[in-house]
């Protein structure tokens, strides 16, 4: 991976050359190695262009297996860009292609990712079911890292969508243990982020600090720009739970700057919402409503029901605290309308 990061420009050129010379298998296989490099460095233009070149090459060659793999990877790209409706389109197409090819392993990998996209669409029960089924399949196929990722996705569905932090913490602890055993540092870090939040929701500060430390250790040694954003957010939430509001604000502001730098609108909304709640805690009502209004505005670009509703709910709290009862009622009503479409388990 370190070599790939150092040779990113050459890698992009190699993918383009492979596409132009009709070496479609070579093209999509290079993309598989390049995806993590592009994600870690937030090289979105390279990510977009090379994957679409690979898709065009596999389609032109009639390479349906390569087409299915690239389509699945494009779903991951659009998810990273938080274009969630487009993500679901590519995810559904990849599932269909793997099913037509009778490629059970490819189908399991695509099903794993579809759990995430189901959750974003507000289909929490389907998200849990997809993660569990994919986990079962990937264990049978002998892919422990991907199976661990399924556990992370199941845990997120319980926490972020299902409001069940106890079950989330249980599943996420299993995920972190499985990722460590599989030697997958990326999945270990991602699971640790969500395990931190689950323990904080339960008031388990010691366990949350342990999980956050594992995430921070990964960030120190990985040069993962998006990972830094997650680590800052988790640390801010930890300080908030400990009652150290000044340190919480510092971490949130650093995380927000990072989220803007890597153009991660979902993390911007999450952090802005937490900053707004911090302002409310400190009695800074005008600042809170300003920050939460920004969170609502950024969330308009998301196709993620839960995170379009949550900043609206918090904005309602901020407006009520500031004495604007009509504005508060309107914000809460809009949030309730969005949440009415969510399939809570």
């Amino acid at each position: 991976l370190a070599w790939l990061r150092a040779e990113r420009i050459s890698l992009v050129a190699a993918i383009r050359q492979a596409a132009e010379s009709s070496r479609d298998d070579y093209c999509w296989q290079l993309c598989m190695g390049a995806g993590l490099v592009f994600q870690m460095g937030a090289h979105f233009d390279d990510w977009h262009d090379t994957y679409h070149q690979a898709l065009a090459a596999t389609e032109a060659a009639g390479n349906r297996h390569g087409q299915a793999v690239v389509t699945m990877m494009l779903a991951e790209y659009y998810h990273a860009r938080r274009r969630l409706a487009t993500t679901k389109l590519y995810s559904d197409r990849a599932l269909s292609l793997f099913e037509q090819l009778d490629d059970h392993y490819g189908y399991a990998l695509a099903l794993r990712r579809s759990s995430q996209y189901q959750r974003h669409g507000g289909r929490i029960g389907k998200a849990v079911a997809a993660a569990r089924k994919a986990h079962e399949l990937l264990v049978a196929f002998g892919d422990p890292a991907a199976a661990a990722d399924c556990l992370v996705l199941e845990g997120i569905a319980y926490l972020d969508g299902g409001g069940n932090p106890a079950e989330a913490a249980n599943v996420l602890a299993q995920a972190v243990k499985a990722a460590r055993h599989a030697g997958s540092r990326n999945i270990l870090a991602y699971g640790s982020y969500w395990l931190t939040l689950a323990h904080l929701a339960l008031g388990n500060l010691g366990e949350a600090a342990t999980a956050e430390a594992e995430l921070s250790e990964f960030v120190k040694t990985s040069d993962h720009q998006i990972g830094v954003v997650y680590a800052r957010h988790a640390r801010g939430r930890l300080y908030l739970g400990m009652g150290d509001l000044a340190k919480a604000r510092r971490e949130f502001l650093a995380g927000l700057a990072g989220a803007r730098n890597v153009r991660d609108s979902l993390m911007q909304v999450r952090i802005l919402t937490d900053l707004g709640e911090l302002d409310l805690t400190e009695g800074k009502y005008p600042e809170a409503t300003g920050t939460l209004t920004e969170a609502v505005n950024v969330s308009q670009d998301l196709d993620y029901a839960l995170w379009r509703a949550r900043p609206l709910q918090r904005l309602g709290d901020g407006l009520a605290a500031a004495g604007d009862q009509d504005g508060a009622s309107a914000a809460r009503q809009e949030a309730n309308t969005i949440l009415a479409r969510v399939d809570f388990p």
Side-chain angles (χ1 to χ4, degrees), residues 37-57:
V37 175
F38 296 151
Q39 181 188 42
M40 289 177 67
H43 301 296
F44 294 117
D45 292 339
D46 289 341
W47 198 353
H48 174 276
D49 293 347
T50 54
Y51 276 30
H52 277 283
Q53 288 164 2
L55 182 61

Side-chain angles (χ1 to χ4, degrees), residues 14-139:
I15 293 170
R16 182 178 64 250
Q17 184 176 4
E20 292 173 350
S21 60
S22 301
R23 299 176 66 185
D24 48 287
D25 271 330
Y26 186 54
C27 184
W28 72 257
Q29 289 171 26
L30 277 173
C31 283
M32 288 187 70
L36 186 56
V37 175
F38 296 151
Q39 181 188 42
M40 289 177 67
H43 301 296
F44 294 117
D45 292 339
D46 289 341
W47 198 353
H48 174 276
D49 293 347
T50 54
Y51 276 30
H52 277 283
Q53 288 164 2
L55 182 61
T58 54
E59 287 177 340
N63 183 341
R64 297 180 69 216
H65 179 258
Q67 182 183 345
V69 173
V70 176
T71 300
M72 177 176 65
M73 293 191 297
L74 272 167
E76 295 184 21
Y77 161 77
Y78 283 110
H79 173 258
R81 298 311 313 275
R82 309 310 188 189
R83 293 175 58 182
L84 303 179
T86 306
T87 296
K88 186 178 184 303
L89 177 69
Y90 278 93
S91 174
D92 290 346
R93 189 179 301 167
L95 282 167
S96 177
L97 285 167
F98 282 124
E99 194 168 27
Q100 292 170 31
L101 292 165
D102 204 26
D103 183 340
H104 301 295
Y105 179 60
Y107 181 85
L109 291 174
L111 185 64
R112 169 187 62 160
R113 292 267 67 90
S114 76
S115 168
Q116 197 167 27
Y117 315 144
Q118 293 282 10
R119 171 168 49 87
H120 291 162
R123 296 172 290 274
I124 310 303
K126 289 184 178 180
V128 171
R132 286 179 174 174
K133 181 61 178 178
H135 178 263
E136 176 187 332
L137 293 171
L138 290 164
V139 167

Side-chain angles (χ1 to χ4, degrees), residues 5 40-41 218-226 228:
R5 285 201 300 268
M40 289 177 67
F218 166 80
V219 168
K220 289 177 186 175
T221 58
S222 70
D223 190 30
H224 197 310
Q225 292 188 42
I226 296 175
V228 171

Side-chain angles (χ1 to χ4, degrees), residues 11 24 33 35 40 66 87 108 124 137 144-145 170 185 201 206 233 245 247 250-251 275 285 289 302 321 325:
L11 183 60
D24 48 287
M40 289 177 67
T87 296
I124 310 303
L137 293 171
N170 177 48
R185 295 186 68 232
H233 182 232
L245 305 188
K247 287 184 178 179
R250 183 190 67 196
E251 294 295 338
L275 276 168
Y285 302 137
T289 55
L302 297 175
Q325 300 303 325

Side-chain angles (χ1 to χ4, degrees), residues 2-3 9 62 196 228 238:
W3 176 86
I9 295 175
T196 301
V228 171
L238 179 61

Side-chain angles (χ1 to χ4, degrees), residues 121-123 305 308 336-343:
R123 296 172 290 274
R308 287 192 62 200
N336 289 337
T337 299
I338 294 169
L339 291 174
R341 300 193 295 267
V342 176
D343 168 31

Side-chain angles (χ1 to χ4, degrees), residues 298-315:
V298 176
S299 77
Q300 299 306 303
D301 293 330
L302 297 175
D303 305 303
Y304 193 169
L306 291 170
W307 279 100
R308 287 192 62 200
R310 282 175 181 156
L312 281 165
Q313 291 175 318
R314 299 292 83 78
L315 178 59

